[in-house]
Amino acid sequence: MAVAIATGIIELDKKLKSQIPNSEVIYYRRYLLTKLDYDTVIISPLLQGAVKLENMMFELRARNKRDIFLLADDIDEKQKLVKFLISLGIYDILAGEVAETDILHVLNNPRSYADIAKIHLRVLGAEDTKPVYKPQAQPPDQEKEEMRQGKETA
């Protein structure tokens, strides 16, 4: 697996490069889109460049690249961006301050939609959903016995 490290945070990029085999640090957004021999991109909005962030993320996903996105902010402060990322199928989103160990964990354990479903509801402004199916209350023991024997209850 080839990994492009493009966070725009030089110290973090160096630490990640030393811990991820077959990785390369990328310093500019446009170069990231021209160099395509990687499978995964570790990226943040702090990466420099004239290419608009949303355009870059769309292009990466359209080329089937896995993206680990470092939000560099709280989810509530970047709701529009988080909605956009999820709509692209980017589920490896890390918010706030993250350590390289957090990034390495996600790199080795990709997230699924189930992992971020509650965050998706939150950024959409939806309330937590309630279960669609609610099991019926268990009948009292006598009714259970009558049902087992095939008798009708009043």
Side-chain angles (χ1 to χ4, degrees), residues 41-142:
V41 181
I42 301 171
I43 191 165
S44 88
L46 302 175
L47 182 67
Q48 299 292 312
V51 177
K52 188 175 176 189
L53 181 64
E54 289 84 354
N55 292 345
M56 181 181 60
M57 298 312 298
F58 176 82
E59 287 297 325
L60 290 171
R61 288 300 295 147
R63 296 172 183 172
N64 212 23
K65 304 299 179 187
R66 176 180 172 215
D67 300 301
I68 299 173
F69 196 88
L70 312 182
L71 197 56
D73 239 328
D74 185 57
I75 287 174
D76 292 325
E77 294 177 25
K78 299 287 186 181
Q79 289 188 15
K80 184 178 177 183
L81 178 57
V82 172
K83 281 189 271 190
F84 178 73
L85 294 172
I86 293 171
S87 76
L88 293 176
I90 298 171
Y91 306 141
D92 296 323
I93 302 170
L94 297 170
E97 291 184 30
V98 296
E100 62 268 10
T101 53
D102 301 323
I103 299 165
L104 294 171
H105 177 76
V106 171
L107 178 65
N108 295 316
N109 302 283
R111 292 180 175 173
S112 69
Y113 182 77
D115 296 319
I116 62 147
K118 294 260 185 207
I119 292 170
H120 194 202
L121 283 176
R122 191 167 95 204
V123 299
L124 288 173
E127 295 180 18
D128 277 352
T129 58
K130 296 187 188 237
V132 174
Y133 169 75
K134 181 178 179 183
Q136 293 181 340
Q138 292 293 324
D141 290 339
Q142 182 181 358

Side-chain angles (χ1 to χ4, degrees), residues 20-39:
I20 301 171
N22 198 18
S23 63
E24 177 183 359
V25 175
I26 307 291
Y27 296 99
Y28 298 100
R29 292 180 182 182
R30 185 169 310 282
Y31 185 70
L32 185 61
L33 294 176
T34 59
K35 183 157 178 53
L36 301 175
D37 59 346
Y38 48 83
D39 307 298

